[in-house]
């Protein structure tokens, strides 16, 4: 009886040690675990719906690229929201400087404006040859490149550049007071008069990771800045 009890006890501790080690390894690679789970779900979905082989290949490439982009440059908005207001402002100021500092339209913005703008931006990923801005689509977003290559208006954009500036033009026309938080926006006014009101088209030439800013979010930020200046 003693020998059987010792064997059972040893098997229990062996299983406990192995389980603990497995749990530690899995927690250290949580992003990879989520990625593999996503790919399993994708494969099951494609099999169930009998997706064509060519589309299967594109979907797998898209999710692999998205995983790689997120690993290289994560969106820490949720982490920032858990910080105290003062710590969040300091950290966000550093991140906004790296994200928006190279974009000409934001160069003369105050640190406070850049911080709030960076926290309102949303991460988006696009596949090769996927249209980001469609022809005649209302300009509602500004895009800042993180990774990849995008073609728009006869130009090629890469990391650190911005496109979709039509959104700023529309804000400029909508209210003469709103863009005061963006000093460089005034320089765009002459260019707008010579542009086509139909907007621009943008297409991803490679797998592309961008941060987008919706015009409603920017309008709210600039309105709050105006209210603060009046106080």
């Amino acid at each position: 009886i003693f020998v059987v009890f010792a064997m059972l006890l040893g098997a229990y501790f062996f299983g406990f040690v192995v389980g603990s080690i497995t749990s530690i390894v899995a927690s250290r690679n949580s992003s990879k675990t989520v990625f593999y789970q996503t790919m399993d779900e994708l494969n099951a979905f494609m099999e169930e719906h009998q997706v064509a082989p060519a589309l299967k290949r594109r979907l797998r490439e898209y999710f692999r690229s998205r995983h790689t982009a997120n690993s290289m440059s994560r969106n820490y908005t949720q982490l920032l929201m858990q910080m105290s207001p003062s710590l969040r402002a300091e950290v966000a100021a550093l991140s906004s400087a790296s994200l928006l500092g190279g974009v000409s339209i934001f160069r003369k913005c105050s640190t406070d404006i850049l911080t709030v703008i960076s926290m309102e931006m949303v991460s988006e990923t696009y596949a090769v040859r996927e249209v980001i801005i469609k022809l005649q689509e209302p300009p509602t977003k500004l895009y800042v490149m993180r990774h990849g290559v995008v073609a728009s208006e006869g130009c090629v954009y890469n990391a650190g550049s911005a496109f979709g500036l039509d959104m700023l033009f529309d804000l400029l026309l909508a209210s003469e007071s709103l863009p005061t938080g963006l000093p460089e926006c005034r320089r765009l006014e002459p260019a707008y008069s010579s542009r086509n009101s139909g907007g621009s088209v943008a297409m991803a030439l490679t797998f592309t990771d961008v941060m987008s800013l919706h015009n409603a979010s920017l309008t709210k930020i600039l309105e709050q800045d105006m209210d603060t200046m009046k106080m």
Side-chain angles (χ1 to χ4, degrees), residues 26-37 67 71 74:
S27 62
R28 292 186 64 181
N29 295 278
S30 57
S31 62
K32 288 186 177 180
T33 301
V34 172
F35 169 68
Y36 292 138
Q37 290 175 347
H67 170 68
S71 299
R74 298 177 183 175

Side-chain angles (χ1 to χ4, degrees), residues 25 78 88 122 135 166 212:
V25 172
Q78 292 184 352
R88 183 167 62 242
V122 178
L135 184 64
D166 291 32
S212 68

